[in-house]
Amino acid sequence: MDTGPPDLTRLLNAVERGDVKASDDLLRLVYAELRRLAGALMANTPPGQTLQATALVHEVYLRLVGKETQSWENRGHFFFAAGRAMRDILVERARSAGRLKRGGGRRRVDFENLSVAVDAEDGDLLALDEAMQRMESEYPWEHRIVTLRFFAGMTNEETASAMSAPLRTIERDWRFARAWLHQTLNANDLEHSP
Amino acid sequence: MNPISDDRAQLIKRIFDEACALSGDSRERYLNESCAADLLLRDQVEKLLHSDEHVHGRFLQESTQPKVESRMPQRIRGFRLLRKIGEGGMGSVFEAEQEHPRRKVALKVVRFAMVSDSIVRRFEYEVQILGQLKHPGIAQIYEAGMYDDGAGPVPYFAMEYIQGRALLEFVAHHRLSIRQRLELFADICDAVHHAHQKGVIHRDLKPANILVEESHAEKPHPKILDFGVARAVHSDLKLVTMHTEAGQLMGTLSYMSPEQIAGRPDELDVRSDVYTLGVILYELLASRRPYDLAEHSIPEAGRMIREMEPPLLGAIDPVLRGDVETIVAKALTKEKEHRYQSAVGLGEDIRLYLRDEPITARPASATYHIRKFAKRNKAIVGGVAAVFITLVIAVIGITASLLKTREAQRVAIQRSDESQRSAAKAMAVNNFLQEMLSSVDPAKSLGREITIRQALDEAAVKIESGTLKDQPAIEADLRTTIGTTYLGLGHYDEAEPQLRAALDIRRRLCSDACEDVAVSLTNLAYVYSAQGRHAEEESILRDALEMQTRLHGPKHADVASTMQSLGAALRSQQKLAEAEPFYRNALIMRRELLPAEHLDVAQSINSLALLLQDKGDAVGAEPLFREALAMRRKLLGDPHPIVADSLNNLANLLTQRRKTMEAESLLREALAMRRKVLKAEHPQVAQSLNNLAFFLYDNGNYEGAETLYREALAIWRRTLPEGHIDIGNATAGLGLVLLAQKSFAEAEPLLRESLLIRESVLPEGHWRRFATMSVLGAALAGEGKFAEAEPYLIHGYEGLKSQPQLPRKYKQEALQRIIDLYESCNQLETAGRWRSELTTRQTDVYP
């Protein structure tokens, strides 16, 4: 069993202290592990197997962090990195599968023997990714919430703990983030329509 | 679209948030007001509000999180896949149709591929064995094998397709009675036993793996799934990595036996399945599992399963008291030697019970209860209990046939060979105890603790009659055993003469420094400590320390322990400066001798922190308390009485440092934890109540404080000897609360009692004595007894004033009481004089 690099706790602590390089290292590490795991799944996946991407994130957490108890802040850093990495991987796969066909609610991208299904009602992964990029510059706090909630699969409660914020704040800001993303995705659709 | 400025973004967000809380006209009014003429802003906010209202319910919600999936194949080997019916940690299950012979099957496909040839060979071997399992209670495995999905061999199993509900769902749905549940369960035991006879252990039994067929209307028919699958698929217990979610793992963990948790696959045998059956039976009857693992980390959960005793079934539902409880407890015994030795043994006992015949399991023996008692009271009993437990278990474990060999032992004792003599001595001690313990009929006594107590009393009488006069070494051993047993049960007055006598005998037998004399000394010191006789404790510990140093040299675990105890004995006598070097040395030595994280290290850290706190160094104490708490939590898990102690200590310190938020939550956690693991009447539950009461008082919640103080005081009055310092503390606290509520007459007797106790227990000049005087004075003044009040108030204040380490607040409160006194009897001039002291002292720097 791969127990991961032993200094992960130190890395997370460094991120907690605001070490930018550590943030990059963490992201790279999580990204590599997610890819590796997704790859392993692809190779050995029995038929009909579905795994939510967020379950994959949790699996990576178990693998890398394992049984060590981490502070909520550190868990937050980890899941934020994992959420970012997940987003990158999903987007990359969507791109590699070629142009997405538009129209219809649910879009499905097949590649190799794996498919990625995204159910983002009014937009697809790439549009969502673009919107997220914009959100990061305008609303970094809310961007963080979406990354944890949606891409890393944390609950509101977990997100609140990870961000050291009251649950009510997270719920309020999550509401805003959804509305904002929804509005942005719709606006983009209009802009891009011929 | 161009990015907007930060301020603008935040403005939009703020207006959106506000508007979200409003509706209709008031929202409209708010938007008019806040956006004013900024039409762009208004437009942006409105678009967002529109999105907020029209956002699809599932947008960015859990169900729409990206999925990674692969397509379901149409067929695998000779099977046509119809639909997916389940998915678990190991893989997916499909409803499928077999072509030859044509029948419906459940096809299980394992998620992770086989990695090596040896595993593949082993899998094939196991599959052969599984094919031999044929029992109506076991889902038949028709076929198992590998297919290649293009990336390597993937194992699959084709099993009998069963139309039924999972066990727990079935019993709930059909509202089965306890009797029906037991009947059903006995059938499950039969099926498990059949597999065991074929040499197959399930390893992954759980209610979800047991289906009950609906078609058999009169008699429900259980079918166990996945027999042997776990073993066929995994070469060892790396089960953990197979699970994607911790929740799923926890589900599995609940049913694992202690030996399975400990990760010793070679120790797994049929009795491990018996344990798991016990968990299932427990859940079947009580609708909850023996351990509440949900709130715990995986290692903590593991520790709970290995170390904690689950609540007896009868404690959950009184209907289950007696035989059923006994049967379940036997199946759940930690040591597999003491469980039912087979699944059929368990099933048979259930059937005996159902036929109203005597069952084979013995009601929870005295051993069991003592062990439980000692576990619950680890904080008090400490190491002594450990010694005692092993001893009693050893005694009980010896079969009755040993009794017959007593004659042989007597011969052996007469032989001169030293090793034989000590073996014979141990045997004689065991036999004596065995006889004592078995002479009391548990069925006839009221409670199990009394059983042991009676046995001990009888043993004590017997030993006094002089039957062992000519064998002093054995007498000393026995007296030690009896004494430490009393100690373990908390009967200190009975323990003392036994341990004292044992010490005297051993001293007579020992010419120089002897290990057993040192042990006797520390035992006796423990009694004195529990009785609050700290001066005697100190002197005897100094003897022990001297002897241990001669025996083992200056650096030894025993030496460290004695230093630790000596520090505590000194601290209890308020000899703080003398105590500190002992505590520090014990800590240094333990850090050196023991692993970085060890309970003894935690104890030393904790003690040192308490000492620092006593000395007024709260800042220095805080990190130590935190370290001790973290270490204990990690080593012991939650809930645990020692962890509760640590929570409590830290909370008290934080209260002192005015970190009230954290303090309150820790105090409440400690109280809840103690209530969970200790008896309701336990003195430490009262301690928690007392602490929380003080906290509430300190934060102005007098009513809440009063209730808790009264509860604490009631417990202490029932469980502690008269005049105990804790009673002095609770009466002082309650008095203070009553004073705050102006119930002066009620406060007075309590405060007098407190003062009496504090003056007899605490050393001269202790600040608490003066604090009580001052408060008593205030109560008297409140009652209008001004003349009586005056000396208490003044003496109390002067005493407090002379204590440099005390917070100024205490002194000022005492001073204020004097001023109040003179003002209420109209001696304004005197009041003014005291008041001037109030202002001048205000310039004092906080110590």
Side-chain angles (χ1 to χ4, degrees):
Chain A
M1 188 175 64
D2 184 1
T3 51
D7 58 350
L8 192 74
T9 302
R10 211 175 314 145
L11 194 57
L12 289 172
N13 288 336
V15 177
E16 170 67 20
R17 283 194 305 272
D19 184 333
V20 180
K21 184 181 170 297
S23 294
D24 283 354
D25 288 349
L26 177 64
L27 186 60
R28 255 203 304 281
L29 178 72
V30 176
Y31 177 83
E33 187 63 18
L34 268 174
R35 282 212 59 145
R36 204 179 64 74
L37 198 64
L41 258 180
M42 236 191 292
N44 295 327
T45 298
Q49 183 73 53
T50 346
L51 193 61
Q52 269 186 337
T54 53
L56 209 59
V57 168
H58 283 261
E59 174 90 24
V60 168
Y61 181 79
L62 279 181
R63 276 168 190 255
L64 287 183
V65 181
K67 292 173 185 166
E68 272 175 76
T69 328
Q70 293 289 350
S71 69
W72 270 105
E73 287 77 14
N74 278 356
R75 284 180 61 124
H77 295 311
F78 179 91
F79 279 100
F80 181 68
R84 297 233 26 176
M86 196 68 231
R87 194 178 112 200
D88 288 350
I89 289 172
L90 291 169
V91 167
E92 180 189 311
R93 290 194 168 171
R95 285 222 175 87
S96 76
R99 270 186 54 81
L100 290 173
K101 291 197 180 106
R102 298 196 142 260
R106 187 181 167 95
R107 284 142 219 208
R108 189 178 279 267
V109 197
D110 285 321
F111 54 97
E112 297 171 57
N113 60 344
L114 204 74
S115 67
V116 173
V118 178
D119 210 355
E121 190 207 17
D122 287 306
D124 54 49
L125 257 180
L126 298 180
L128 182 60
D129 182 57
E130 252 171 59
M132 285 293 285
Q133 282 174 34
R134 218 185 100 194
M135 188 176 225
E136 185 169 17
S137 68
E138 285 176 28
Y139 293 99
W141 170 263
E142 285 75 10
H143 168 263
R144 210 174 163 84
I145 293 180
V146 177
T147 304
L148 291 173
R149 280 285 277 107
F150 186 63
F151 288 100
M154 283 185 135
T155 62
N156 271 335
E157 287 77 7
E158 288 168 333
T159 307
S161 301
M163 296 181 67
S164 305
L167 179 59
R168 201 134 20 120
T169 304
I170 297 296
E171 283 168 352
R172 187 194 64 200
D173 297 343
W174 169 239
R175 180 176 180 176
F176 174 80
R178 282 182 79 200
W180 191 91
L181 281 172
H182 186 265
Q183 200 263 327
T184 305
L185 289 172
N186 279 337
N188 282 353
D189 260 4
L190 290 178
E191 280 169 14
H192 292 172
S193 58
Chain B
M1 214 189 277
N2 294 323
I4 50 174
S5 76
D6 285 0
D7 290 351
R8 186 81 178 173
Q10 286 316 310
L11 183 62
I12 294 171
K13 166 82 166 52
R14 207 162 51 241
I15 297 174
F16 173 87
D17 287 346
E18 289 288 335
C20 273
L22 305 168
S23 58
D25 287 351
S26 51
R27 178 185 280 191
E28 191 63 26
R29 264 199 310 281
Y30 172 76
L31 289 176
N32 286 338
E33 213 174 274
S34 52
C35 299
D38 191 338
L39 293 179
L40 184 59
L41 177 65
R42 172 81 186 235
D43 179 56
Q44 283 166 325
V45 173
E46 279 197 337
K47 271 187 186 150
L48 284 172
L49 288 169
H50 181 266
S51 274
D52 177 60
E53 274 161 39
H54 293 87
V55 66
H56 192 289
R58 302 195 314 147
F59 178 65
L60 296 185
Q61 295 296 10
E62 220 166 291
S63 60
T64 62
Q65 276 160 0
K67 286 184 191 63
V68 189
E69 68 181 293
S70 65
R71 284 149 299 172
M72 188 174 107
Q74 294 301 302
R75 58 177 57 246
I76 293 174
R77 289 286 180 90
F79 301 93
R80 201 161 57 82
L81 273 53
L82 303 173
R83 67 188 176 102
K84 188 193 277 191
I85 50 181
E87 190 164 330
M90 282 204 328
S92 313
V93 186
F94 300 93
E95 181 184 332
E97 197 174 56
Q98 190 173 10
E99 280 153 5
H100 304 291
R102 186 168 290 271
R103 58 184 166 188
K104 204 188 252 187
V105 302
L107 194 78
K108 182 164 200 148
V109 179
V110 178
R111 182 191 292 169
F112 286 83
M114 302 273 136
V115 287
S116 74
D117 287 350
S118 68
I119 295 178
V120 171
R121 272 198 302 280
R122 167 152 177 193
F123 175 77
E124 284 163 353
Y125 168 75
E126 296 288 347
V127 163
Q128 272 194 323
I129 296 175
L130 294 183
Q132 295 169 17
L133 293 183
K134 289 202 171 77
H135 188 276
I138 296 177
Q140 172 81 36
I141 294 187
Y142 297 133
E143 189 184 314
M146 308 267 188
Y147 77 96
D148 201 313
D149 71 341
V154 177
Y156 69 90
F157 296 82
M159 288 178 286
E160 185 180 352
Y161 184 86
I162 293 164
Q163 196 106 42
R165 288 176 195 265
L167 180 65
L168 295 175
E169 197 192 315
F170 182 90
V171 298
H173 181 79
H174 292 279
R175 302 215 178 103
L176 295 195
S177 65
I178 290 178
R179 170 166 280 272
Q180 288 169 319
R181 287 171 199 226
L182 288 171
E183 283 167 353
L184 183 64
F185 184 78
D187 290 345
I188 295 171
C189 290
D190 289 346
V192 173
H193 183 65
H194 168 81
H196 286 172
Q197 281 181 314
K198 301 273 177 195
V200 181
I201 305 167
H202 194 296
R203 288 165 186 247
D204 193 23
L205 275 174
K206 50 190 169 194
N209 272 344
I210 302 172
L211 296 187
V212 187
E213 282 182 305
E214 299 277 11
S215 53
H216 296 64
E218 313 139 39
K219 193 172 179 290
H221 199 103
K223 286 266 190 190
I224 303 173
L225 309 181
D226 287 357
F227 231 111
V229 171
R231 184 176 155 89
V233 175
H234 309 295
S235 55
D236 55 20
L237 275 174
K238 285 181 183 162
L239 208 61
V240 177
T241 57
M242 304 295 286
H243 297 269
T244 42
E245 286 160 70
Q248 210 172 5
L249 174 63
M250 277 304 185
T252 311
L253 210 57
S254 301
Y255 300 98
M256 284 190 183
S257 59
E259 60 270 23
Q260 205 167 357
I261 295 277
R264 295 193 210 100
D266 48 316
E267 282 190 17
L268 292 192
D269 59 27
V270 297
R271 292 170 295 183
S272 309
D273 276 354
V274 168
Y275 177 92
T276 304
L277 282 170
V279 180
I280 295 173
L281 180 55
Y282 193 109
E283 191 172 11
L284 202 54
L285 296 171
S287 300
R288 48 168 281 194
R289 294 174 198 160
Y291 304 99
D292 180 16
L293 303 181
E295 306 275 303
H296 299 273
S297 71
I298 293 168
E300 277 169 0
R303 204 176 301 116
M304 284 169 77
I305 292 174
R306 287 200 310 273
E307 292 170 10
M308 266 180 61
E309 296 292 343
L312 285 174
L313 273 180
I316 296 164
D317 183 350
V319 175
L320 301 170
R321 262 186 215 146
D323 282 352
V324 175
E325 171 183 273
T326 307
I327 290 171
V328 174
K330 182 167 179 179
L332 288 179
T333 307
K334 310 262 179 244
E335 306 81 21
K336 53 187 182 180
E337 311 79 72
H338 299 303
R339 284 178 212 149
Y340 289 99
Q341 297 299 296
S342 67
V344 78
L346 170 58
E348 274 312 304
D349 239 13
I350 289 171
R351 293 205 171 96
L352 285 173
Y353 166 78
L354 289 171
R355 291 197 300 266
D356 288 328
E357 288 173 36
I359 59 169
T360 67
R362 293 276 49 86
S365 61
T367 337
Y368 175 81
H369 264 266
I370 292 258
R371 207 170 65 213
K372 276 193 59 169
F373 175 85
K375 277 211 167 130
R376 277 200 309 268
N377 294 282
K378 234 182 208 158
I380 324 165
V381 183
V384 179
V387 174
F388 168 67
I389 292 161
T390 30
L391 188 79
V392 173
I393 290 171
V395 170
I396 302 281
I398 292 169
T399 55
S401 67
L402 253 177
L403 279 173
K404 292 177 194 145
T405 64
R406 290 193 79 191
E407 201 47 47
Q409 290 150 26
R410 214 166 280 143
V411 177
I413 290 168
Q414 284 154 9
R415 292 195 191 159
S416 57
D417 181 14
E418 182 56 38
S419 67
Q420 269 178 352
R421 186 148 54 201
S422 65
K425 195 174 85 173
M427 203 92 96
V429 171
N430 281 344
N431 281 342
F432 183 87
L433 264 182
Q434 160 93 13
E435 210 170 304
M436 284 295 133
L437 290 173
S438 57
S439 67
V440 187
D441 183 359
K444 285 182 192 147
S445 54
L446 293 169
R448 279 126 181 176
E449 193 184 315
I450 297 176
T451 308
I452 285 290
R453 177 69 205 268
Q454 286 168 349
L456 287 170
D457 290 350
E458 282 176 40
V461 170
K462 195 160 180 186
I463 214 165
E464 285 309 323
S465 72
T467 45
L468 292 165
K469 271 279 174 286
D470 48 342
Q471 292 165 27
I474 293 180
E475 184 181 340
D477 283 4
L478 261 178
R479 285 188 185 272
T480 303
T481 304
I482 296 167
T484 47
T485 310
Y486 274 130
L487 191 59
L489 292 172
H491 304 303
Y492 307 123
D493 294 346
E494 288 77 6
E496 193 204 337
Q498 297 296 339
L499 294 174
R500 161 71 60 196
L503 174 62
D504 292 344
I505 296 171
R506 286 174 170 177
R507 268 194 165 139
R508 262 201 328 271
L509 295 174
C510 166
S511 52
D512 185 31
C514 298
E515 182 65 48
D516 57 359
V517 175
V519 169
S520 276
L521 285 167
T522 48
N523 282 346
L524 195 57
Y526 198 95
V527 175
Y528 289 146
S529 160
Q531 290 173 325
R533 295 154 67 180
H534 298 297
E536 285 157 280
E537 183 196 1
E538 179 195 336
S539 109
I540 219 162
L541 282 171
R542 286 189 191 274
D543 286 355
L545 185 62
E546 187 265 336
M547 192 168 284
Q548 284 169 335
T549 315
R550 265 201 291 154
L551 282 165
H552 312 297
K555 229 178 246 171
H556 188 273
D558 289 352
V559 174
S561 292
T562 305
M563 283 194 167
Q564 173 77 27
S565 307
L566 203 45
L570 290 163
R571 176 176 166 252
S572 305
Q573 299 173 75
Q574 301 297 326
K575 301 179 181 172
L576 304 184
E578 267 184 86
E580 190 167 345
F582 284 110
Y583 274 155
R584 289 206 183 270
N585 280 332
L587 178 57
I588 291 167
M589 216 182 291
R590 284 176 164 176
R591 283 213 203 260
E592 201 179 317
L593 295 170
L594 301 169
E597 285 185 328
H598 190 282
L599 284 180
D600 288 346
V601 176
Q603 182 202 31
S604 281
I605 295 171
N606 183 62
S607 301
L608 186 57
L610 284 169
L611 186 79
L612 293 179
Q613 190 180 7
D614 284 353
K615 289 176 63 188
D617 181 7
V619 179
E622 186 178 329
L624 292 174
F625 277 132
R626 288 192 190 277
E627 188 184 355
L629 173 62
M631 205 181 283
R632 285 172 166 177
R633 249 198 226 277
K634 192 163 167 198
L635 294 169
L636 298 167
D638 287 349
H640 194 285
I642 296 181
V643 177
D645 293 348
S646 260
L647 281 168
N648 210 19
N649 289 341
L650 179 57
N652 285 341
L653 186 93
L654 293 173
T655 310
Q656 196 182 328
R657 300 202 63 198
R658 315 305 305 172
K659 298 185 177 177
T660 47
M661 288 261 286
E662 193 185 352
E664 183 172 3
S665 86
L666 291 173
L667 283 170
R668 291 192 186 279
E669 191 184 348
L671 177 60
M673 203 181 276
R674 284 179 168 168
R675 285 198 151 134
K676 215 169 185 176
V677 294
L678 301 172
K679 283 188 290 198
E681 288 264 292
H682 198 286
Q684 295 211 319
V685 172
Q687 187 73 59
S688 267
L689 289 164
N690 186 71
N691 292 341
L692 190 54
F694 177 75
F695 179 87
L696 294 178
Y697 164 77
D698 208 29
N699 286 281
N701 178 353
Y702 301 132
E703 264 173 50
E706 185 183 336
T707 316
L708 295 178
Y709 268 132
R710 286 191 191 282
E711 208 181 321
L713 189 57
I715 295 177
W716 274 336
R717 283 205 199 279
R718 277 196 292 271
T719 54
L720 295 178
E722 219 168 294
H724 193 286
I725 186 68
D726 285 341
I727 296 178
N729 294 340
T731 42
L734 184 53
L736 210 51
V737 172
L738 291 169
L739 191 65
Q741 299 178 97
K742 308 219 179 302
S743 309
F744 303 115
E746 208 185 333
E748 187 197 324
L750 288 164
L751 292 166
R752 282 194 190 280
E753 183 184 354
S754 173
L755 185 59
L756 209 64
I757 295 174
R758 287 181 162 180
E759 285 188 332
S760 73
V761 178
L762 299 176
E764 197 114 344
H766 194 284
W767 69 272
R768 283 184 194 274
R769 287 174 147 202
F770 298 117
T772 317
M773 280 180 209
S774 169
V775 179
L776 175 58
L780 290 166
E783 288 178 88
K785 303 174 182 170
F786 298 126
E788 223 181 314
E790 190 177 2
Y792 282 116
L793 284 170
I794 293 176
H795 193 53
Y797 170 63
E798 298 292 348
L800 290 171
K801 201 169 74 172
S802 65
Q803 314 256 343
Q805 87 285 3
L806 275 189
R808 203 182 60 203
K809 186 177 154 232
Y810 293 177
K811 301 172 190 174
Q812 295 216 325
E813 279 172 1
L815 182 55
Q816 186 62 49
R817 288 182 194 124
I818 297 179
I819 298 166
D820 291 347
L821 170 80
Y822 290 123
E823 277 177 355
S824 34
C825 52
N826 235 352
Q827 299 184 26
L828 297 180
E829 201 182 316
T830 323
R833 238 184 8 253
W834 284 101
R835 190 177 291 285
S836 69
E837 181 150 358
L838 188 63
T839 46
T840 56
R841 295 209 74 86
Q842 228 147 34
T843 55
D844 278 5
V845 181
Y846 184 91

